[in-house]
Amino acid sequence: MKSGKAKGPDGWTPRELEAHPDEWTDQLARFYNRWEEQGAWPPSIRNAVVALIEKPGAKTAAQLRPIGILSYIYRIWMAIRRDQARSWSLRLHGGAHEGVAAMACRSRAHSELAHWGGKHVLTAFLDCSKCYERIEHSTAGQRAMDTGCPATIINMAMHIYSGARYIRAHGAVARAASGRHGLIAGCSFAKDILKAFLKPISALGRFTTFRDYVDDMVVTAVGANPEQAANKLMTDLRVIKMVSGKTT
């Protein structure tokens, strides 16, 4: 694991953990197996610090970006189980992980080709406000499993998400709080769980092309004239708005 990252609530750093003898890491592996069999983490490992960091344009604390700082014992487990989740993640992303710049280029190329063919293109850019924070755990977990996520991974991740959270902003730390909503940005599985959660929405477009990157979505309509493109876009946006309100 990379050094130099913030310490988690457990106080460990990668270098400190690497310094332990093999007997200790063997014991940790046995702990991981036992916790997975039990389907639950010890209470101390479930703690998370949610740091509110600066975000361009933010004027209030509610507009800051929340980043979860998790236990290093959990982060090691994430690294161990990442390969087990890889095939699921690739299927979710259409066979390859595409960055936001590559996705923007592909969307732009799609529009340019349509223009060259004499077509008219309209695009709607959608953003799920506070998307990570509003997602309900049981629905997200079920959709992740429906798309092929290993049950152990989703169960252990959701147990972390429902643990105690300490909100930290401007040097102050709030009292612990917990709930049944919210993915933790800082968990390597959170982005894929969000992708699985939003998947029903991506299948709604009958007349448009849908692309998403984390919580940003792009809906594009192509028509023989501006009116046809607009009608296609509005038809699918109405359905997306209606269904997304029910699914979140």
Side-chain angles (χ1 to χ4, degrees):
M1 297 182 68
K2 294 181 180 179
S3 298
K5 291 185 176 290
K7 286 186 178 182
D10 54 7
W12 289 108
T13 67
R15 287 187 177 180
E16 290 171 340
L17 292 169
E18 288 171 359
H20 283 81
D22 291 343
E23 293 80 4
W24 189 89
T25 55
D26 289 344
Q27 181 60 46
L28 181 59
R30 286 190 286 270
F31 280 145
Y32 284 141
N33 289 332
R34 189 175 75 188
W35 295 332
E36 286 185 347
E37 289 172 2
Q38 295 173 344
W41 295 100
S44 59
I45 294 177
R46 297 180 68 202
N47 294 336
V49 174
V50 179
L52 303 182
I53 64 174
E54 294 296 330
K55 182 179 180 180
K59 297 180 180 180
T60 67
Q63 296 173 322
L64 298 176
R65 189 188 308 278
I67 298 296
I69 303 172
L70 302 168
S71 158
Y72 258 105
I73 300 299
Y74 176 74
R75 284 188 256 185
I76 290 172
W77 175 83
M78 286 194 306
I80 293 170
R81 291 300 181 211
R82 192 170 293 133
D83 283 346
Q84 189 179 352
R86 181 170 175 77
S87 61
W88 164 63
S89 177
L90 286 172
R91 286 195 304 273
L92 274 176
H93 293 269
H97 294 113
E98 188 176 44
V100 64
M103 187 175 296
C105 287
R106 189 154 58 91
S107 296
R108 183 61 180 173
H110 176 77
S111 297
E112 290 292 336
L113 285 171
H115 281 303
W116 274 102
K119 303 291 185 180
H120 295 263
V121 180
L122 283 177
T123 300
F125 297 91
L126 310 178
D127 177 58
C128 295
S129 176
K130 300 293 182 184
C131 193
Y132 271 82
E133 291 77 21
R134 294 178 176 179
I135 289 178
E136 196 268 327
H137 292 165
S138 62
T139 304
Q142 186 60 56
R143 290 185 186 174
M145 290 186 63
D146 290 345
T147 55
C149 179
T152 297
I153 289 176
I154 195 64
N155 183 57
M156 301 304 283
M158 288 298 168
H159 199 232
I160 288 291
Y161 297 162
S162 62
R165 302 184 197 181
Y166 296 85
I167 310 299
R168 186 175 72 193
H170 309 301
V173 180
R175 292 180 180 178
S178 61
R180 295 296 176 182
H181 287 73
L183 309 182
I184 297 180
C187 172
S188 62
F189 299 124
K191 189 183 295 185
D192 288 330
I193 294 172
L194 176 61
K195 180 84 170 178
F197 182 84
L198 294 175
K199 194 169 182 61
I201 298 175
S202 69
L204 294 174
R206 294 176 56 201
F207 308 107
T208 57
T209 299
F210 181 96
R211 294 190 176 94
D212 64 302
Y213 183 79
V214 193
D215 57 353
D216 295 315
M217 296 172 283
V218 179
V219 184
T220 303
V222 178
N225 52 61
E227 291 78 14
Q228 187 183 71
N231 287 334
K232 287 182 176 182
L233 185 62
M234 290 304 300
T235 297
D236 281 356
L237 285 178
R238 289 190 189 100
V239 176
I240 289 171
K241 180 179 181 180
M242 178 180 66
V243 175
S244 63
K246 295 178 181 178
T247 58
T248 55

